[in-house]
Every structure is written in structure tokens, then in C-alpha cells.
Amino acid sequence: VQVVESGGGLVRAGGSLRLSCKASGLTFADYSMGWYRQAPGKRREGIACISQTGREIYYADSVKGRFTISTDNAKNTVYLQMNSLRAEDTGMYYCATEGLCGLGRWKRPSEYGSWGQGIQVTVSS
């Protein structure tokens, strides 16, 4: 299984970025897809998850209303649209799969079997 993130970078506060994550080597539609982030000196936290069917979507309170997760099953890709970015959104962003969203699983990194290498997002204030 290979998971590759793209789309990170430097943006000013209030700006937007869209992260992409392409997964290969698995049946994409069999698994939920999650986004996590890790700020320097902090634990990796779940910020968004979308179920296999797309019917269940979860967001951390800190990003609700600003971030949107979506998938394109034909491209085996999950996206994270990030709007109204804040300095506190700075960190490494990771995509994860081979896991499930429900019952709070999306908050636990240990629930996911495959991870991308991470991509840096820096928001300047």
C-alpha cells in the first residue's frame, strides 16, 4: 500500500489550501480515509475522516466549518479543502487509510494501517 500526500505549503492566515492524498495498492472503496496533523511538540490528532460510502464524515471541533474532506473514488484520492486558515493550523498533515471512521476510531491513529509520509502546512500570521 502506498499513500502519498501533496498540496501543502506556506499560506497567510485567512488563506486556503487543498491537500490531496492518493492511495494505491488497496481497494480504495473498502476503507475510510482520514487526515491527521501534528504540530511541533504535540501529539498527532485526527482532524477529518470520511467513511467508505461517504455517508459518515467527521471533523475535529478545531476545523469544523473551515475544512472539508471529500473523495474521488475513480482517482483513489481523498482531498482536504482548508479555508480560513489560522496560525494554529500549522503542522505536518498526514493521510491515513486501512481503517474505519466510526465509533470514534477516526480520532485514534492506531486504528489506521497505512500512512503517508506527511506534508508540511505553514500558516503565517
Side-chain angles (χ1 to χ4, degrees), residues 92-118:
M92 285 291 288
Y93 282 69
Y94 298 89
C95 177
T97 186
E98 292 193 296
L100 298 172
C101 288
L103 300 175
R105 293 185 183 99
W106 66 279
K107 297 180 182 180
R108 300 191 289 270
S110 60
E111 294 287 339
Y112 286 83
S114 293
W115 291 80
Q117 78 286 353

Side-chain angles (χ1 to χ4, degrees), residues 21-84:
C21 168
K22 186 174 176 64
S24 57
L26 78 169
T27 303
F28 186 82
D30 283 351
Y31 298 100
S32 300
M33 298 294 295
W35 283 100
Y36 287 76
R37 73 181 174 197
Q38 189 166 17
K42 294 190 176 181
R43 288 184 177 181
R44 192 171 297 190
E45 62 168 340
I47 57 172
C49 189
I50 184 167
S51 67
Q52 308 93 297
T53 62
R55 294 193 191 110
E56 298 172 58
I57 293 178
Y58 303 89
Y59 296 101
D61 288 344
S62 58
V63 307
K64 205 172 291 183
R66 300 186 298 122
F67 290 11
T68 303
I69 188 171
S70 62
T71 55
D72 183 337
N73 285 2
K75 296 181 178 179
N76 282 16
T77 299
V78 60
Y79 303 98
L80 186 68
Q81 177 66 42
M82 306 186 293
N83 298 330
S84 302

